[in-house]
Amino acid sequence: MTTVVPAAERGATRIAERVVAKLAAQAAREALPPGGPGARPSATAVLRPARGLARIRVAVELAYPPDIGAQCGAVRRRIVSRVRELADLEASEVAVDVERLHTAESGGTGAAGARRVR
């Protein structure tokens, strides 16, 4: 006969900060246009597991001149949604850093041939 142990006595799942950072980077990729310059966003996360909170910072590269605020808002909303869905954490703060803007003439994410946007 098997003994059923109540959930509260079985322990808890701990999610590492690097896992939440990877979830956030993937969510940022999902929010950006496919094939755009933001193919490799990077992210960091600081967790407060006792409160179920995560502070996330993600760095992206964006196409210019589309609406940068709208793109950052889409990234932020997607990260909040995916972190809640996949890690059961509330993203209390999501900072989106735009590291680089790419014009249509820059032709990609590399420094070679990239034009500075003023």
Side-chain angles (χ1 to χ4, degrees):
M1 181 184 284
T2 59
T3 304
V4 177
V5 179
E9 295 177 20
R10 283 184 252 161
T13 301
R14 184 179 183 289
I15 298 174
E17 289 177 346
R18 70 177 184 271
V19 173
V20 176
K22 286 182 180 185
L23 291 173
Q26 177 60 38
R29 272 190 296 281
E30 293 169 1
L32 295 172
R40 298 206 179 266
S42 61
T44 58
V46 176
L47 303 182
R48 297 184 74 183
R51 294 187 179 179
L53 299 175
R55 286 189 350 223
I56 298 167
R57 178 171 295 276
V58 62
V60 297
E61 295 182 12
L62 300 175
Y64 182 83
D67 187 347
I68 294 168
Q71 289 184 33
C72 290
V75 167
R76 191 174 291 112
R77 285 187 300 277
R78 184 65 176 177
I79 289 172
V80 167
S81 170
R82 296 295 277 166
V83 167
R84 183 183 305 125
E85 176 186 348
L86 298 172
D88 197 27
L89 291 169
E90 190 66 36
S92 61
E93 177 184 327
V94 177
V96 180
D97 296 333
V98 179
E99 288 192 331
R100 185 172 295 164
L101 296 173
H102 295 274
T103 62
E105 296 87 28
S106 69
T109 60
R115 221 179 76 204
R116 185 175 205 157
V117 177
R118 294 186 190 264

